[in-house]
Amino acid sequence: MSGAKLAASILSADFARLGDQVKLVEPYADMLHVDVMDAHFVPPLTIGPVVVESLRPISPLPLHCHLMVEHPEALLEDFAKAGTDMVTFHLEAAPEPETVIAEARARGMRAGIAVNPDTPVEEAFAYLDRLDNLIVMSVRPGWAGQDFIEEVLPKVEAARREIDRRGVPVDVEVDGGINEDSGRRCLAAGATVLAVASSIFKASDPALAARRLSVLARAGAEER
Ligand code: ZN
């Protein structure tokens, strides 16, 4: 294990100063995580490809779009054109996950599946051989700033066990309520990516918060 990664989730950033906020955390983050919500799959409405297109030239970090939307396949073309490196869609929103994975790859993007807290993680196992990323949601999707749901830790462990058993290079990402404390427990359970929004961008010093979480991610994965 070469160390886990930190994904800075811009959901909690100040969108009027988004470029500056990204630059603050860029030295410590391994990727930018963009939470896309459509007011159907989840109640809130957030951002889409135009914001990804604006971010693309200002940061060399990989852009990972987490699509909390119905019909994710309909948006793949626009996200690919905007410069997205990886898309993760929700298993609950995709009746034919194989098709979405194949269409994302055909457009040059890496692919992931996300599962909500109430969805058994085992439902994603059938697709592991074709995935780069598996998000185990650690809050109900839709809002930043929620408390981490402890009950998802066994799902992280189960995903890690199955991925290791198959020997496939799939990241296990936790998303929701991640801070240094919950992040440490997720790393111990086998997570390899920590997606963090509020604990970075609502911190008084986002760069320091990102640096501390980055150090934790690298060390935490090595302790396993
Ligand atoms: Zn997310």
Side-chain angles (χ1 to χ4, degrees), residues 31-32 34 52 55-56 61-65 82-87:
M31 68 193 91
L32 297 174
V34 180
V52 174
L55 283 173
R56 183 66 291 169
L61 291 176
L63 294 172
H64 175 202
C65 294
T84 302
D85 296 285
M86 178 162 72
V87 278

Side-chain angles (χ1 to χ4, degrees), residues 91-116:
L91 195 58
E92 301 87 357
E96 295 180 14
E98 298 95 338
T99 310
V100 186
I101 295 166
E103 292 189 3
R105 292 206 189 286
R107 290 170 174 79
M109 297 184 288
R110 300 165 72 220
I113 281 180
V115 290
N116 281 342

Side-chain angles (χ1 to χ4, degrees), residues 114-181:
V115 290
N116 281 342
D118 294 336
T119 303
V121 71
E122 289 77 9
E123 291 183 11
F125 286 178
Y127 313 103
L128 282 178
D129 294 343
R130 276 157 282 176
L131 294 180
D132 297 292
N133 185 53
L134 174 61
I135 292 183
V136 177
M137 289 300 299
S138 39
V139 298
R140 292 183 204 294
W143 299 270
Q146 300 182 66
D147 289 338
F148 178 77
I149 299 173
E150 292 290 330
E151 289 74 19
V152 306
L153 283 170
K155 293 171 67 175
V156 175
E157 289 170 358
R160 170 52 48 206
R161 259 197 315 275
E162 183 65 13
I163 287 166
D164 288 350
R165 188 181 73 75
R166 296 189 186 204
V168 287
V170 183
D171 274 317
V172 178
E173 178 167 1
V174 281
D175 186 7
I178 303 297
N179 52 33
E180 288 185 45
D181 178 44

Side-chain angles (χ1 to χ4, degrees), residues 189-209:
T192 51
V193 180
L194 303 179
V196 185
S198 302
S199 293
I200 291 178
F201 289 108
K202 298 295 187 199
S204 56
D205 185 341
L208 176 62

Side-chain angles (χ1 to χ4, degrees), residues 9 11 33-36 66 68 135 137 173 175-176 195:
S9 173
L11 185 59
H33 181 108
V34 180
D35 282 318
V36 178
H66 174 194
M68 285 168 268
I135 292 183
M137 289 300 299
E173 178 167 1
D175 186 7

